[in-house]
């Protein structure tokens, strides 16, 4: 009991020394950003790699799938939309269940479970001999994708030092794009091989197995450990994340996390668990957190209504009337451009800040879409490929990456819930696009669809200008101050630190 009281008093002393300046934070220690660090970040985003792979391999499935493969008389447009959308519906469900999983079992264990679901669903899908089994397998894959899309950004935002948090989230997006590119490249040599889609789906179990084997090499989120009253394990995680920190700096960080999680019971002098209290209160959002969450969800909806996933899912079908030699060429162009310019975001997001990057790159997206519309009007295949590259370059440099980091706007005890809401916003809007695009394309035409997407992106620019704040270099605990007053203090960082 005496030790607990001393620890609580020590926590108060540490708390009194917490400065509002980011310069006093442990996150600003010199950081060795070497190949080992990058490899670890890539390894922990295995679920994101599989997310990209499985959402894109459907393109190959639709190209090589024969009616006799699934004992059907024909494969209609509706069948194609159902096969594609089943994954997105599953992802909505996965995003919902991942929130209690991540808060109850921890971020790493949730990713471990996610990997097992990827393995099981890949096996079911590859052995499908009926349409309903194929749809079921794709749905279960979607569940795994939903869990991963919620938990990976959440985990990365909580374990990454402020200096590389933007980099870590961008690497997550880059792994998604790498998964998409690999899917398309794997399809090309098998495009004329019967039942090759079974092998392509089954191949996805390998990364999942590697992650399960290596998961103990990564630290659990110290913020989650603080939230669940496990300060000693939280301390060990902090020491692994910040190997150059002194003991005092580790203590300062630990007690800051504990205080942020309302963990210290000043009456008893002990750390008390609020995990059960949080669930009993149904994770009620205060006005500040609700405002931050709404901004994150709206930006994610804008990401999905930009039209990008229409190209990811249906590029060969969109370009089928333009005499393209290889039906996979447009998809490969999309994925390759996406990888290259997501890589540029590794540099630009942390250097210039997310807000500036969005405001600049959204204009590139709009220009690309308008050129796209003109290309369809003139039936100019060369212009369409050029405008596709421009569009994807703008998308990948900003909107394709930044919305996933919006989870950092929320306080620790609501971050998992918020990540689930943001992920659900992604998959609900994604599902609407995948379910309706082919039908709308037949009714309105590609020219009108591109103008519609450009109009949506124009409104996204205004939303970003008035409501999306800059958080470059701020600790997760400081970011909450941006949303505390009326409206959103989009210039908070410039007024206080520049």
């Amino acid at each position: 009991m005496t030790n607990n009281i001393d620890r609580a008093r020590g926590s108060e002393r540490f708390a009194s020394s917490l400065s509002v300046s980011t310069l006093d934070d442990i996150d600003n220690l010199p950081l060795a950003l070497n190949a080992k660090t990058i490899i670890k970040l890539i390894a922990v985003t295995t679920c994101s790699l599989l997310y990209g792979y499985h959402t894109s391999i459907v393109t190959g499935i639709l190209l090589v799938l024969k009616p006799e493969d699934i004992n059907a008389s024909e494969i209609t447009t509706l069948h194609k939309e159902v096969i594609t959308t089943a994954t997105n519906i599953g992802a909505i469900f996965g995003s919902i269940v991942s929130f209690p999983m991540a808060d109850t079992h921890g971020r790493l264990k949730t990713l471990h479970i996610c990997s097992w679901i990827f393995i099981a669903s890949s096996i079911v899908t590859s052995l499908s001999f009926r349409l309903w089994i194929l749809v079921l397998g794709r749905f279960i894959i979607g569940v795994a994708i939903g869990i991963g899309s919620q938990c990976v950004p959440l985990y990365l935002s909580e374990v990454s030092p402020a200096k590389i948090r933007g980099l870590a989230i961008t690497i997550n997006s880059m792994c998604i794009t790498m998964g998409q590119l690999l899917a398309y490249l794997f399809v090309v040599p098998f495009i004329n091989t019967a039942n090759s889609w079974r092998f392509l789906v089954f191949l996805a179990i390998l990364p999942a197995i590697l992650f399960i084997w290596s998961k103990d090499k990564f630290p659990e989120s110290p913020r989650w450990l603080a939230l669940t009253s496990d300060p000693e394990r939280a301390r060990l995680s902090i020491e692994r994340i910040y190997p150059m920190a002194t003991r005092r700096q580790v203590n300062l960080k630990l007690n800051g996390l504990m205080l942020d999680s309302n963990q210290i019971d000043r009456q008893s002098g002990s750390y008390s668990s609020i995990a059960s209290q949080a669930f009993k209160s149904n994770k009620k959002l205060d006005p500040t957190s609700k405002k931050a969450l709404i901004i994150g969800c709206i930006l994610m909806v804008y990401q999905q209504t930009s039209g990008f996933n229409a190209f990811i899912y249906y590029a060969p079908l969109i370009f089928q009337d333009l005499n393209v030699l290889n039906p996979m060429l447009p998809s490969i162009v999309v994925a390759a451009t996406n990888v290259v310019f997501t890589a540029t975001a590794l540099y630009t997001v942390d250097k210039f800040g997310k807000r500036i990057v969005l405001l600049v790159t959204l204009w590139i997206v709009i220009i690309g879409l308008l050129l796209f519309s003109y290309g369809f009007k003139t039936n100019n295949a060369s212009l369409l490929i050029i405008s596709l590259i421009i569009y994807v370059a703008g998308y990948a440099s900003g909107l394709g990456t930044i919305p996933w980091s919006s989870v950092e706007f929320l306080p620790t005890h609501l971050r998992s819930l918020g990540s689930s809401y943001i992920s659900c916003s992604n998959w609900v809007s994604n599902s609407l696009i995948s379910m309706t695009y082919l039908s709308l394309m037949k009714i309105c035409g590609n020219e009108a669809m591109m103008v519609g997407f450009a109009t949506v992106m124009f409104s996204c620019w205004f939303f970003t200008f008035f409501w999306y704040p800059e958080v470059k270099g701020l600790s997760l605990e400081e970011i909450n101050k941006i949303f505390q007053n009326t409206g959103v203090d989009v210039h908070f960082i410039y007024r206080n630190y520049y």
Side-chain angles (χ1 to χ4, degrees), residues 12 18 38 47 49 103 160-161 180 214 254 267 434 447:
E12 293 178 4
L18 283 169
I38 299 294
C47 289
L49 178 78
D103 268 6
S160 302
Q180 292 167 345
S214 64
L254 173 63
Q267 298 297 323
S434 63
E447 180 185 346

Side-chain angles (χ1 to χ4, degrees), residues 18-34:
L18 283 169
S19 169
V20 296
S21 172
T22 304
L23 296 175
D24 295 330
D25 197 274
I26 194 174
D27 289 312
N28 287 279
L29 285 170
L31 183 67
L33 189 59
N34 49 33

Side-chain angles (χ1 to χ4, degrees), residues 197-227:
W197 61 273
R198 300 185 190 278
F199 167 73
L200 294 171
V201 173
F202 186 79
L203 195 63
I205 70 171
L206 297 179
I209 291 173
L210 286 175
F211 177 76
I212 291 170
W213 173 76
S214 64
K215 78 175 184 67
D216 292 334
K217 301 182 184 297
F218 309 114
E220 179 55 271
S221 163
R223 288 178 170 85
W224 177 76
L225 292 170
L227 189 67

